[in-house]
Amino acid sequence: MKLLANSWRSDTRASTRDNEECAAQVDSDGRSSKKDGFGEHFAVGLTLLRRIRRIGRVLRAARARLGLWSAGLIAGKLAAEMVYYYAGMLPSEFYRVLGDRDSAAFGPLLARCVAVVAVAGACRAVLDYANGMLGVAMRHALTQNTQARYLRRGRLYAVASGRIDNPDQRIAQDIERLARSAADVLSELLLAPFLVAYYTVRCWTLAGVFGPVAIYAYFIVGATATQYVMAPIVRYVVAQEKAEGDFRFHHVRVRECAESIAFYGGETAERERANAALTQVVDTQYRVLWRQLGLGLLTQVFSYMGSTVSYVVIAVPIFLGSYDGLSGAELSSVISRNAFVSLYLIYRFSVIIEQAKRVVELAGYAARVVQLWEELDRADASTDACDVACAAVDSDIAAVELSVITPRGMVLVSNLNVRVSAGESLVVTGPPGSGKTSLLRAFCGLWRPARGEVRVPQAGVFFLPQAPYIAGGSLREQLSYPGEWGGCTRSCSDTEASRLLAIVGLAHIIRRAGNMDRLWSVQEWLQMLSPGEQQKLSIARVLFWRPPFAALDEATSALDAAAEAVLYRALSYAAITVISVSHHDGLNAFHKRRLALDGHGGFTLDSI
């Protein structure tokens, strides 16, 4: 437990440093320097525009109802603005009717007012609906595009094990928040230029040149101050999302490893880890809120100060004598119209300024999503993911002058030459950390060799890790997972499923699962199957697909020697040549040669 606690403190300090570095040293224009070529600019400026443009290209390519909901949003916004304008003119008519004591005109005017208010409310509800649907459509398009690139052979492992944090959170959460923020900003800014232009002309007509000039000057001052205040905040939004992802990942891992933690009695250590992760989340939230305080003060003062500016705009032509010939009721009506136009123009500018907080959040989400795309770009452009010569070489697996080095530069295997032909199974042994699993990664195309090359048959190598992967779904889907392999798509019949399960000693699972097609969640499968049964099910998958070669990374470690022998005989009868990582001498009988790694780059290869 003491070692566990020390390890935790070390991890916590490292996590704290990462989050502090991510939220520190913001320069004057809110940008950070690039590190190791990894794009970490967080400025609200050209960087944000480039990211928005890239997101726009993805949305245009997807189209999925985006045009429909965008058109609906525009049409609804136009209709709503017409209603709002008409409603804004009604007070001036009330001033005139009441000033003239015209009781006959009051009733129809009141009826019109009630109808306009009802229509305005309906327009607002429809706009909210269209805005929400646009956000959902954007999320669907962006997530589908990202998943199509991320969940590809050779890309998933490269990105998930790479330097980018929490790709799952970026896909499941950040894209949703990005889409929602983008829809909210679009709904407010979509018609902003046209509305500003229209009310500028109206203000000029009613108040003269002084009105729009004063309002534009007021907006420029507010926009400049807002840009200066909000630029550094984006970094902290990104840091907050990273801390949230780390916190969520910790609880996901605790749930998945609950049994192991319980066996260790590690609840206290995990509670301390969870509290440390929570502290990181809360600290970053405090930082974001503290920095948003200044932005909120600025935007709110700018918004409320607009009414004072509107009074100045209205007062100037009155004091200059422009309306001296009007009666009191007429002057009240004119003041009401001028006030509405001036206030609405200021309101449109205030809306633009008030979007600053949303734009800050949008910039943070856009940064995290586009960073994931950039990592996928690197995986696409480089050969790190699967740089394997997949041309068939006498249907063999061959390593030619192969050297495997860890990402940290540790040499695991140096100048290995070995050929595994059909029927000549190979067992790989060596001390822990000697590179046995890493060698299999190179054989299967997950790691790029530092030197030399690996040649595999066109169909590839079927890989079984020590921890079996259990997917949600039916028993039939478990046996036929992943559903497509080696360019072939197959489904498992009832007869074949029964035969395979009987071979691996899992005939009883059919009764336990209810039937072949009953759907079970991942959690239910993990509760239903013991670790040994999960490994047997993985071997049944290999027998179902019957690949020419299979790599087994201690894939029978949870079984006794007799059960291991049964499974290896079944693989041999199916003419499947295996490359096994194992510490059990009892498996030597099922292999022709042994490759022993010494952990320092050396090896010995001999016959058994």
Side-chain angles (χ1 to χ4, degrees):
M1 290 298 295
K2 190 175 293 185
L3 288 174
L4 194 64
N6 289 338
S7 172
W8 162 70
R9 293 189 186 99
S10 165
D11 293 344
T12 302
R13 285 194 294 269
S15 176
T16 302
R17 285 196 303 273
D18 289 345
N19 283 315
E20 289 177 349
E21 288 172 2
C22 188
Q25 298 180 352
V26 182
D27 60 18
S28 60
D29 61 357
R31 294 177 297 178
S32 68
S33 59
K34 282 189 176 182
K35 297 180 181 180
D36 301 327
F38 191 61
E40 290 189 353
H41 287 304
F42 304 120
V44 179
L46 292 179
T47 302
L48 175 60
L49 290 178
R50 283 194 295 269
R51 287 170 175 155
I52 294 297
R53 188 165 60 246
R54 176 162 188 181
I55 292 168
R57 286 199 301 269
V58 173
L59 292 175
R60 283 197 303 272
R63 296 187 180 176
R65 295 192 178 182
L66 291 173
L68 174 64
W69 292 116
S70 298
L73 191 63
I74 294 173
K77 195 73 174 174
L78 283 171
E81 290 299 333
M82 293 174 63
V83 174
Y84 297 158
Y85 177 79
Y86 188 75
M89 293 292 105
L90 285 176
S92 65
E93 297 191 42
F94 273 108
Y95 284 136
R96 179 183 55 79
V97 169
L98 294 174
D100 293 340
R101 296 177 174 82
D102 188 354
S103 59
F106 182 77
L109 180 59
L110 186 62
R112 274 195 294 153
C113 181
V114 171
V116 168
V117 169
V119 173
C123 287
R124 182 72 263 174
V126 171
L127 278 176
D128 289 342
Y129 174 75
N131 182 48
M133 294 301 292
L134 177 62
V136 171
M138 291 171 65
R139 180 193 184 183
H140 181 245
L142 293 174
T143 305
Q144 197 169 48
N145 174 272
T146 305
Q147 288 183 161
R149 298 188 60 202
Y150 178 60
L151 297 175
R152 286 174 53 196
R153 183 171 178 81
R155 301 299 179 267
L156 172 63
Y157 179 82
V159 175
S161 61
R163 53 188 167 179
I164 197 166
D165 67 275
N166 302 310
D168 56 317
Q169 182 202 27
R170 295 175 189 247
I171 295 172
Q173 178 175 299
D174 291 339
I175 288 180
E176 186 273 333
R177 293 182 176 180
L178 169 65
R180 189 175 60 212
S181 297
D184 290 341
V185 171
L186 277 176
S187 67
E188 293 295 346
L189 302 185
L190 204 58
L191 295 180
F194 307 103
L195 294 173
V196 166
Y198 175 77
Y199 283 100
T200 297
V201 173
R202 294 289 298 159
C203 185
W204 190 314
T205 303
L206 294 172
V209 68
F210 174 77
V213 168
I215 293 172
Y216 272 76
Y218 179 64
F219 168 71
I220 291 171
V221 171
T224 303
T226 302
Q227 166 66 19
Y228 177 78
V229 172
M230 75 178 183
I233 302 178
V234 182
R235 265 184 82 80
Y236 295 94
V237 173
V238 173
Q240 179 182 345
E241 290 303 305
K242 180 182 184 302
E244 294 277 7
D246 293 341
F247 182 58
R248 183 185 56 80
F249 176 77
H250 175 78
H251 277 282
V252 170
R253 190 166 182 273
V254 166
R255 184 193 67 195
E256 292 177 345
C257 304
E259 185 178 54
S260 299
I261 293 170
F263 277 132
Y264 275 110
E267 290 87 352
T268 300
E270 293 304 324
R271 183 173 64 250
E272 292 176 351
R273 287 172 180 260
N275 287 336
L278 176 61
T279 300
Q280 287 297 317
V281 170
V282 173
D283 286 347
T284 53
Q285 285 182 323
Y286 283 149
R287 294 190 193 107
V288 170
L289 290 173
W290 173 247
R291 284 159 180 81
Q292 285 181 339
L293 175 62
L295 180 60
L297 287 172
L298 181 63
T299 56
Q300 292 301 319
V301 168
F302 182 88
S303 176
Y304 285 107
M305 194 66 70
S307 59
T308 304
V309 175
S310 70
Y311 295 143
V312 175
V313 171
I314 296 168
V316 169
I318 291 176
F319 293 147
L320 291 177
S322 301
Y323 304 121
D324 287 348
L326 300 179
S327 66
E330 291 172 333
L331 181 60
S332 296
S333 179
V334 169
I335 290 174
S336 177
R337 286 199 304 271
N338 286 9
F340 169 72
V341 170
S342 300
L343 279 173
Y344 204 77
L345 179 58
I346 292 172
Y347 167 72
R348 295 315 311 177
F349 279 130
S350 299
V351 167
I352 296 173
I353 296 297
E354 287 171 359
Q355 296 309 301
K357 185 176 180 180
R358 287 181 177 176
V359 169
V360 165
E361 294 174 349
L362 177 66
Y365 302 141
R368 288 180 59 80
V369 172
V370 175
Q371 281 176 353
L372 175 59
W373 292 352
E374 290 169 351
E375 188 72 5
L376 288 166
D377 291 341
R378 280 185 281 272
D380 288 338
S382 71
T383 55
D384 289 353
C386 52
D387 186 48
V388 182
C390 289
V393 183
D394 298 329
S395 300
D396 294 347
I397 296 176
V400 182
E401 299 294 329
L402 178 66
S403 294
V404 178
I405 300 177
T406 68
R408 296 189 177 185
M410 178 181 176
V411 179
L412 300 176
V413 180
S414 181
N415 299 321
L416 172 65
N417 288 281
V418 65
R419 179 183 294 272
V420 181
S421 302
E424 296 183 358
S425 294
L426 174 73
V427 60
V428 182
T429 64
S434 59
K436 301 183 294 297
T437 299
S438 299
L439 182 61
L440 294 190
R441 291 191 185 117
F443 282 161
C444 294
L446 296 182
W447 275 21
R448 179 188 179 186
R451 217 171 26 252
E453 63 177 347
V454 175
R455 299 172 185 164
V456 299
Q458 188 66 40
V461 180
F462 203 103
F463 183 84
L464 288 188
Q466 181 176 1
Y469 179 73
I470 301 299
S474 66
L475 180 57
R476 191 189 311 278
E477 291 170 330
Q478 292 287 0
L479 287 169
S480 61
Y481 186 86
E484 179 182 356
W485 189 84
C488 176
T489 301
R490 289 185 60 200
S491 179
C492 189
S493 67
D494 289 354
T495 302
E496 186 175 17
S498 299
R499 181 181 64 83
L500 293 175
L501 292 172
I503 289 174
V504 299
L506 290 179
H508 59 284
I509 293 298
I510 299 177
R511 184 173 60 258
R512 193 184 299 176
N515 58 59
M516 292 297 300
D517 296 307
R518 181 175 176 180
L519 299 179
W520 299 89
S521 68
V522 175
Q523 289 79 6
E524 289 170 329
W525 275 117
L526 294 177
Q527 293 172 0
M528 189 187 305
L529 301 174
S530 69
E533 289 174 328
Q534 293 175 32
Q535 289 189 337
K536 288 182 178 181
L537 185 60
S538 294
I539 297 295
R541 287 177 186 162
V542 181
L543 296 173
F544 169 75
W545 286 104
R546 296 176 66 94
F549 293 92
L552 278 61
D553 184 10
E554 299 190 65
T556 56
S557 58
L559 302 172
D560 57 38
E564 279 187 316
V566 169
L567 297 181
Y568 269 88
R569 287 194 192 96
L571 293 170
S572 178
Y573 293 153
I576 299 172
T577 303
V578 297
I579 302 175
S580 303
V581 169
S582 178
H583 298 287
H584 297 174
D585 291 337
L587 291 183
N588 289 341
F590 302 100
H591 300 81
K592 297 294 182 63
R593 287 184 296 172
R594 176 175 49 237
L595 176 64
L597 308 181
D598 63 12
H600 303 288
F603 60 87
T604 57
L605 179 63
D606 51 39
S607 299
I608 298 176

PDB file of all heavy atoms in Angstrom, residues 554-583:
ATOM      1  N   GLU A 554       0.101 -14.271 -24.343  1.00  0.00           N
ATOM      2  CA  GLU A 554      -0.325 -14.902 -23.088  1.00  0.00           C
ATOM      3  C   GLU A 554      -1.851 -14.989 -23.038  1.00  0.00           C
ATOM      4  O   GLU A 554      -2.480 -14.722 -22.016  1.00  0.00           O
ATOM      5  CB  GLU A 554       0.203 -14.116 -21.887  1.00  0.00           C
ATOM      6  CG  GLU A 554       1.724 -14.054 -21.843  1.00  0.00           C
ATOM      7  CD  GLU A 554       2.252 -13.482 -20.539  1.00  0.00           C
ATOM      8  OE1 GLU A 554       2.035 -14.137 -19.485  1.00  0.00           O
ATOM      9  OE2 GLU A 554       2.863 -12.406 -20.570  1.00  0.00           O
ATOM     10  N   ALA A 555      -2.431 -15.399 -24.160  1.00  0.00           N
ATOM     11  CA  ALA A 555      -3.885 -15.399 -24.308  1.00  0.00           C
ATOM     12  C   ALA A 555      -4.562 -16.548 -23.572  1.00  0.00           C
ATOM     13  O   ALA A 555      -5.787 -16.635 -23.573  1.00  0.00           O
ATOM     14  CB  ALA A 555      -4.243 -15.466 -25.795  1.00  0.00           C
ATOM     15  N   THR A 556      -3.777 -17.435 -22.938  1.00  0.00           N
ATOM     16  CA  THR A 556      -4.358 -18.529 -22.139  1.00  0.00           C
ATOM     17  C   THR A 556      -3.813 -18.512 -20.720  1.00  0.00           C
ATOM     18  O   THR A 556      -3.819 -19.532 -20.029  1.00  0.00           O
ATOM     19  CB  THR A 556      -4.047 -19.888 -22.799  1.00  0.00           C
ATOM     20  OG1 THR A 556      -2.618 -20.031 -22.956  1.00  0.00           O
ATOM     21  CG2 THR A 556      -4.705 -19.984 -24.169  1.00  0.00           C
ATOM     22  N   SER A 557      -3.350 -17.355 -20.268  1.00  0.00           N
ATOM     23  CA  SER A 557      -2.675 -17.267 -18.963  1.00  0.00           C
ATOM     24  C   SER A 557      -3.602 -17.546 -17.796  1.00  0.00           C
ATOM     25  O   SER A 557      -3.145 -17.888 -16.703  1.00  0.00           O
ATOM     26  CB  SER A 557      -2.053 -15.879 -18.795  1.00  0.00           C
ATOM     27  OG  SER A 557      -3.054 -14.879 -18.912  1.00  0.00           O
ATOM     28  N   ALA A 558      -4.931 -17.381 -17.991  1.00  0.00           N
ATOM     29  CA  ALA A 558      -5.880 -17.609 -16.895  1.00  0.00           C
ATOM     30  C   ALA A 558      -6.347 -19.061 -16.825  1.00  0.00           C
ATOM     31  O   ALA A 558      -7.215 -19.384 -16.008  1.00  0.00           O
ATOM     32  CB  ALA A 558      -7.089 -16.678 -17.056  1.00  0.00           C
ATOM     33  N   LEU A 559      -5.797 -19.939 -17.673  1.00  0.00           N
ATOM     34  CA  LEU A 559      -6.245 -21.330 -17.747  1.00  0.00           C
ATOM     35  C   LEU A 559      -5.187 -22.272 -17.187  1.00  0.00           C
ATOM     36  O   LEU A 559      -3.991 -21.957 -17.169  1.00  0.00           O
ATOM     37  CB  LEU A 559      -6.547 -21.696 -19.206  1.00  0.00           C
ATOM     38  CG  LEU A 559      -7.599 -20.821 -19.915  1.00  0.00           C
ATOM     39  CD1 LEU A 559      -7.667 -21.170 -21.395  1.00  0.00           C
ATOM     40  CD2 LEU A 559      -8.956 -20.990 -19.257  1.00  0.00           C
ATOM     41  N   ASP A 560      -5.629 -23.448 -16.776  1.00  0.00           N
ATOM     42  CA  ASP A 560      -4.676 -24.450 -16.317  1.00  0.00           C
ATOM     43  C   ASP A 560      -4.029 -25.136 -17.513  1.00  0.00           C
ATOM     44  O   ASP A 560      -4.426 -24.941 -18.661  1.00  0.00           O
ATOM     45  CB  ASP A 560      -5.355 -25.466 -15.396  1.00  0.00           C
ATOM     46  CG  ASP A 560      -6.548 -26.160 -16.062  1.00  0.00           C
ATOM     47  OD1 ASP A 560      -6.464 -26.459 -17.273  1.00  0.00           O
ATOM     48  OD2 ASP A 560      -7.558 -26.407 -15.370  1.00  0.00           O
ATOM     49  N   ALA A 561      -3.029 -25.937 -17.247  1.00  0.00           N
ATOM     50  CA  ALA A 561      -2.244 -26.562 -18.320  1.00  0.00           C
ATOM     51  C   ALA A 561      -3.110 -27.455 -19.199  1.00  0.00           C
ATOM     52  O   ALA A 561      -2.945 -27.478 -20.434  1.00  0.00           O
ATOM     53  CB  ALA A 561      -1.087 -27.359 -17.721  1.00  0.00           C
ATOM     54  N   ALA A 562      -4.047 -28.208 -18.592  1.00  0.00           N
ATOM     55  CA  ALA A 562      -4.890 -29.116 -19.382  1.00  0.00           C
ATOM     56  C   ALA A 562      -5.780 -28.328 -20.347  1.00  0.00           C
ATOM     57  O   ALA A 562      -5.934 -28.707 -21.519  1.00  0.00           O
ATOM     58  CB  ALA A 562      -5.741 -29.975 -18.454  1.00  0.00           C
ATOM     59  N   ALA A 563      -6.368 -27.234 -19.864  1.00  0.00           N
ATOM     60  CA  ALA A 563      -7.228 -26.422 -20.734  1.00  0.00           C
ATOM     61  C   ALA A 563      -6.409 -25.770 -21.841  1.00  0.00           C
ATOM     62  O   ALA A 563      -6.859 -25.670 -22.998  1.00  0.00           O
ATOM     63  CB  ALA A 563      -7.948 -25.369 -19.907  1.00  0.00           C
ATOM     64  N   GLU A 564      -5.186 -25.319 -21.504  1.00  0.00           N
ATOM     65  CA  GLU A 564      -4.316 -24.731 -22.530  1.00  0.00           C
ATOM     66  C   GLU A 564      -4.020 -25.749 -23.620  1.00  0.00           C
ATOM     67  O   GLU A 564      -4.063 -25.431 -24.820  1.00  0.00           O
ATOM     68  CB  GLU A 564      -3.001 -24.268 -21.896  1.00  0.00           C
ATOM     69  CG  GLU A 564      -3.071 -22.914 -21.214  1.00  0.00           C
ATOM     70  CD  GLU A 564      -1.694 -22.454 -20.766  1.00  0.00           C
ATOM     71  OE1 GLU A 564      -0.941 -23.287 -20.215  1.00  0.00           O
ATOM     72  OE2 GLU A 564      -1.356 -21.286 -20.974  1.00  0.00           O
ATOM     73  N   ALA A 565      -3.729 -26.973 -23.228  1.00  0.00           N
ATOM     74  CA  ALA A 565      -3.401 -28.024 -24.202  1.00  0.00           C
ATOM     75  C   ALA A 565      -4.572 -28.286 -25.138  1.00  0.00           C
ATOM     76  O   ALA A 565      -4.387 -28.447 -26.357  1.00  0.00           O
ATOM     77  CB  ALA A 565      -3.002 -29.300 -23.467  1.00  0.00           C
ATOM     78  N   VAL A 566      -5.800 -28.300 -24.594  1.00  0.00           N
ATOM     79  CA  VAL A 566      -6.983 -28.522 -25.430  1.00  0.00           C
ATOM     80  C   VAL A 566      -7.096 -27.425 -26.488  1.00  0.00           C
ATOM     81  O   VAL A 566      -7.353 -27.695 -27.666  1.00  0.00           O
ATOM     82  CB  VAL A 566      -8.247 -28.570 -24.553  1.00  0.00           C
ATOM     83  CG1 VAL A 566      -9.507 -28.515 -25.423  1.00  0.00           C
ATOM     84  CG2 VAL A 566      -8.254 -29.825 -23.696  1.00  0.00           C
ATOM     85  N   LEU A 567      -6.902 -26.167 -26.075  1.00  0.00           N
ATOM     86  CA  LEU A 567      -7.060 -25.041 -27.004  1.00  0.00           C
ATOM     87  C   LEU A 567      -5.966 -25.050 -28.065  1.00  0.00           C
ATOM     88  O   LEU A 567      -6.233 -24.797 -29.257  1.00  0.00           O
ATOM     89  CB  LEU A 567      -7.045 -23.722 -26.235  1.00  0.00           C
ATOM     90  CG  LEU A 567      -8.194 -23.535 -25.226  1.00  0.00           C
ATOM     91  CD1 LEU A 567      -8.079 -22.178 -24.544  1.00  0.00           C
ATOM     92  CD2 LEU A 567      -9.544 -23.665 -25.906  1.00  0.00           C
ATOM     93  N   TYR A 568      -4.731 -25.337 -27.679  1.00  0.00           N
ATOM     94  CA  TYR A 568      -3.638 -25.338 -28.653  1.00  0.00           C
ATOM     95  C   TYR A 568      -3.775 -26.503 -29.632  1.00  0.00           C
ATOM     96  O   TYR A 568      -3.409 -26.384 -30.807  1.00  0.00           O
ATOM     97  CB  TYR A 568      -2.282 -25.372 -27.939  1.00  0.00           C
ATOM     98  CG  TYR A 568      -1.746 -23.972 -27.677  1.00  0.00           C
ATOM     99  CD1 TYR A 568      -2.078 -23.290 -26.513  1.00  0.00           C
ATOM    100  CD2 TYR A 568      -0.943 -23.323 -28.609  1.00  0.00           C
ATOM    101  CE1 TYR A 568      -1.604 -22.005 -26.274  1.00  0.00           C
ATOM    102  CE2 TYR A 568      -0.458 -22.049 -28.371  1.00  0.00           C
ATOM    103  CZ  TYR A 568      -0.799 -21.391 -27.207  1.00  0.00           C
ATOM    104  OH  TYR A 568      -0.334 -20.118 -27.004  1.00  0.00           O
ATOM    105  N   ARG A 569      -4.295 -27.625 -29.172  1.00  0.00           N
ATOM    106  CA  ARG A 569      -4.541 -28.728 -30.111  1.00  0.00           C
ATOM    107  C   ARG A 569      -5.617 -28.321 -31.122  1.00  0.00           C
ATOM    108  O   ARG A 569      -5.502 -28.634 -32.314  1.00  0.00           O
ATOM    109  CB  ARG A 569      -4.994 -29.979 -29.350  1.00  0.00           C
ATOM    110  CG  ARG A 569      -3.889 -30.674 -28.575  1.00  0.00           C
ATOM    111  CD  ARG A 569      -4.314 -32.063 -28.126  1.00  0.00           C
ATOM    112  NE  ARG A 569      -3.378 -32.604 -27.163  1.00  0.00           N
ATOM    113  CZ  ARG A 569      -3.549 -32.535 -25.842  1.00  0.00           C
ATOM    114  NH1 ARG A 569      -4.652 -31.976 -25.347  1.00  0.00           N
ATOM    115  NH2 ARG A 569      -2.652 -33.038 -25.032  1.00  0.00           N
ATOM    116  N   ALA A 570      -6.653 -27.627 -30.649  1.00  0.00           N
ATOM    117  CA  ALA A 570      -7.711 -27.186 -31.558  1.00  0.00           C
ATOM    118  C   ALA A 570      -7.152 -26.228 -32.614  1.00  0.00           C
ATOM    119  O   ALA A 570      -7.511 -26.305 -33.797  1.00  0.00           O
ATOM    120  CB  ALA A 570      -8.821 -26.508 -30.763  1.00  0.00           C
ATOM    121  N   LEU A 571      -6.242 -25.331 -32.211  1.00  0.00           N
ATOM    122  CA  LEU A 571      -5.621 -24.418 -33.168  1.00  0.00           C
ATOM    123  C   LEU A 571      -4.779 -25.190 -34.176  1.00  0.00           C
ATOM    124  O   LEU A 571      -4.771 -24.875 -35.371  1.00  0.00           O
ATOM    125  CB  LEU A 571      -4.767 -23.381 -32.424  1.00  0.00           C
ATOM    126  CG  LEU A 571      -5.517 -22.376 -31.543  1.00  0.00           C
ATOM    127  CD1 LEU A 571      -4.541 -21.582 -30.686  1.00  0.00           C
ATOM    128  CD2 LEU A 571      -6.344 -21.424 -32.401  1.00  0.00           C
ATOM    129  N   SER A 572      -4.071 -26.208 -33.698  1.00  0.00           N
ATOM    130  CA  SER A 572      -3.240 -27.012 -34.588  1.00  0.00           C
ATOM    131  C   SER A 572      -4.096 -27.804 -35.585  1.00  0.00           C
ATOM    132  O   SER A 572      -3.796 -27.847 -36.780  1.00  0.00           O
ATOM    133  CB  SER A 572      -2.374 -27.969 -33.758  1.00  0.00           C
ATOM    134  OG  SER A 572      -1.591 -28.802 -34.593  1.00  0.00           O
ATOM    135  N   TYR A 573      -5.202 -28.389 -35.107  1.00  0.00           N
ATOM    136  CA  TYR A 573      -6.098 -29.132 -36.003  1.00  0.00           C
ATOM    137  C   TYR A 573      -6.719 -28.216 -37.054  1.00  0.00           C
ATOM    138  O   TYR A 573      -7.016 -28.657 -38.173  1.00  0.00           O
ATOM    139  CB  TYR A 573      -7.211 -29.806 -35.199  1.00  0.00           C
ATOM    140  CG  TYR A 573      -6.742 -30.914 -34.283  1.00  0.00           C
ATOM    141  CD1 TYR A 573      -7.452 -31.246 -33.115  1.00  0.00           C
ATOM    142  CD2 TYR A 573      -5.578 -31.637 -34.568  1.00  0.00           C
ATOM    143  CE1 TYR A 573      -7.017 -32.252 -32.277  1.00  0.00           C
ATOM    144  CE2 TYR A 573      -5.148 -32.647 -33.723  1.00  0.00           C
ATOM    145  CZ  TYR A 573      -5.861 -32.945 -32.583  1.00  0.00           C
ATOM    146  OH  TYR A 573      -5.416 -33.952 -31.748  1.00  0.00           O
ATOM    147  N   ALA A 574      -6.911 -26.942 -36.708  1.00  0.00           N
ATOM    148  CA  ALA A 574      -7.484 -25.979 -37.654  1.00  0.00           C
ATOM    149  C   ALA A 574      -6.432 -25.404 -38.598  1.00  0.00           C
ATOM    150  O   ALA A 574      -6.747 -24.508 -39.391  1.00  0.00           O
ATOM    151  CB  ALA A 574      -8.164 -24.846 -36.890  1.00  0.00           C
ATOM    152  N   ALA A 575      -5.185 -25.910 -38.517  1.00  0.00           N
ATOM    153  CA  ALA A 575      -4.084 -25.456 -39.383  1.00  0.00           C
ATOM    154  C   ALA A 575      -3.791 -23.973 -39.189  1.00  0.00           C
ATOM    155  O   ALA A 575      -3.471 -23.250 -40.140  1.00  0.00           O
ATOM    156  CB  ALA A 575      -4.396 -25.758 -40.846  1.00  0.00           C
ATOM    157  N   ILE A 576      -3.875 -23.507 -37.955  1.00  0.00           N
ATOM    158  CA  ILE A 576      -3.553 -22.117 -37.624  1.00  0.00           C
ATOM    159  C   ILE A 576      -2.165 -22.101 -36.993  1.00  0.00           C
ATOM    160  O   ILE A 576      -1.929 -22.718 -35.945  1.00  0.00           O
ATOM    161  CB  ILE A 576      -4.594 -21.525 -36.658  1.00  0.00           C
ATOM    162  CG1 ILE A 576      -5.979 -21.544 -37.303  1.00  0.00           C
ATOM    163  CG2 ILE A 576      -4.211 -20.110 -36.253  1.00  0.00           C
ATOM    164  CD1 ILE A 576      -7.100 -21.147 -36.346  1.00  0.00           C
ATOM    165  N   THR A 577      -1.259 -21.411 -37.618  1.00  0.00           N
ATOM    166  CA  THR A 577       0.104 -21.285 -37.097  1.00  0.00           C
ATOM    167  C   THR A 577       0.137 -20.144 -36.098  1.00  0.00           C
ATOM    168  O   THR A 577      -0.332 -19.041 -36.390  1.00  0.00           O
ATOM    169  CB  THR A 577       1.095 -21.009 -38.234  1.00  0.00           C
ATOM    170  OG1 THR A 577       1.003 -22.054 -39.201  1.00  0.00           O
ATOM    171  CG2 THR A 577       2.516 -20.917 -37.706  1.00  0.00           C
ATOM    172  N   VAL A 578       0.680 -20.405 -34.909  1.00  0.00           N
ATOM    173  CA  VAL A 578       0.623 -19.396 -33.851  1.00  0.00           C
ATOM    174  C   VAL A 578       2.023 -18.886 -33.524  1.00  0.00           C
ATOM    175  O   VAL A 578       3.024 -19.604 -33.624  1.00  0.00           O
ATOM    176  CB  VAL A 578      -0.042 -19.961 -32.570  1.00  0.00           C
ATOM    177  CG1 VAL A 578      -1.481 -20.337 -32.857  1.00  0.00           C
ATOM    178  CG2 VAL A 578       0.732 -21.142 -32.021  1.00  0.00           C
ATOM    179  N   ILE A 579       2.054 -17.610 -33.143  1.00  0.00           N
ATOM    180  CA  ILE A 579       3.223 -17.003 -32.513  1.00  0.00           C
ATOM    181  C   ILE A 579       2.778 -16.655 -31.104  1.00  0.00           C
ATOM    182  O   ILE A 579       1.931 -15.781 -30.911  1.00  0.00           O
ATOM    183  CB  ILE A 579       3.697 -15.744 -33.267  1.00  0.00           C
ATOM    184  CG1 ILE A 579       4.022 -16.087 -34.712  1.00  0.00           C
ATOM    185  CG2 ILE A 579       4.893 -15.123 -32.568  1.00  0.00           C
ATOM    186  CD1 ILE A 579       4.376 -14.874 -35.548  1.00  0.00           C
ATOM    187  N   SER A 580       3.302 -17.358 -30.120  1.00  0.00           N
ATOM    188  CA  SER A 580       2.812 -17.231 -28.744  1.00  0.00           C
ATOM    189  C   SER A 580       3.837 -16.551 -27.865  1.00  0.00           C
ATOM    190  O   SER A 580       5.051 -16.805 -27.984  1.00  0.00           O
ATOM    191  CB  SER A 580       2.495 -18.612 -28.151  1.00  0.00           C
ATOM    192  OG  SER A 580       1.552 -19.300 -28.936  1.00  0.00           O
ATOM    193  N   VAL A 581       3.353 -15.702 -26.990  1.00  0.00           N
ATOM    194  CA  VAL A 581       4.144 -15.215 -25.864  1.00  0.00           C
ATOM    195  C   VAL A 581       3.696 -16.002 -24.647  1.00  0.00           C
ATOM    196  O   VAL A 581       2.501 -16.025 -24.322  1.00  0.00           O
ATOM    197  CB  VAL A 581       3.930 -13.703 -25.641  1.00  0.00           C
ATOM    198  CG1 VAL A 581       4.538 -13.272 -24.311  1.00  0.00           C
ATOM    199  CG2 VAL A 581       4.534 -12.907 -26.781  1.00  0.00           C
ATOM    200  N   SER A 582       4.631 -16.670 -23.986  1.00  0.00           N
ATOM    201  CA  SER A 582       4.230 -17.522 -22.866  1.00  0.00           C
ATOM    202  C   SER A 582       5.401 -17.745 -21.920  1.00  0.00           C
ATOM    203  O   SER A 582       6.574 -17.665 -22.322  1.00  0.00           O
ATOM    204  CB  SER A 582       3.717 -18.870 -23.376  1.00  0.00           C
ATOM    205  OG  SER A 582       3.364 -19.705 -22.300  1.00  0.00           O
ATOM    206  N   HIS A 583       5.050 -17.980 -20.648  1.00  0.00           N
ATOM    207  CA  HIS A 583       6.043 -18.361 -19.640  1.00  0.00           C
ATOM    208  C   HIS A 583       5.872 -19.821 -19.234  1.00  0.00           C
ATOM    209  O   HIS A 583       6.603 -20.302 -18.358  1.00  0.00           O
ATOM    210  CB  HIS A 583       5.901 -17.467 -18.396  1.00  0.00           C
ATOM    211  CG  HIS A 583       6.155 -16.021 -18.661  1.00  0.00           C
ATOM    212  ND1 HIS A 583       7.415 -15.507 -18.897  1.00  0.00           N
ATOM    213  CD2 HIS A 583       5.304 -14.966 -18.760  1.00  0.00           C
ATOM    214  CE1 HIS A 583       7.336 -14.210 -19.094  1.00  0.00           C
ATOM    215  NE2 HIS A 583       6.065 -13.847 -19.026  1.00  0.00           N
TER     216      HIS A 583
END
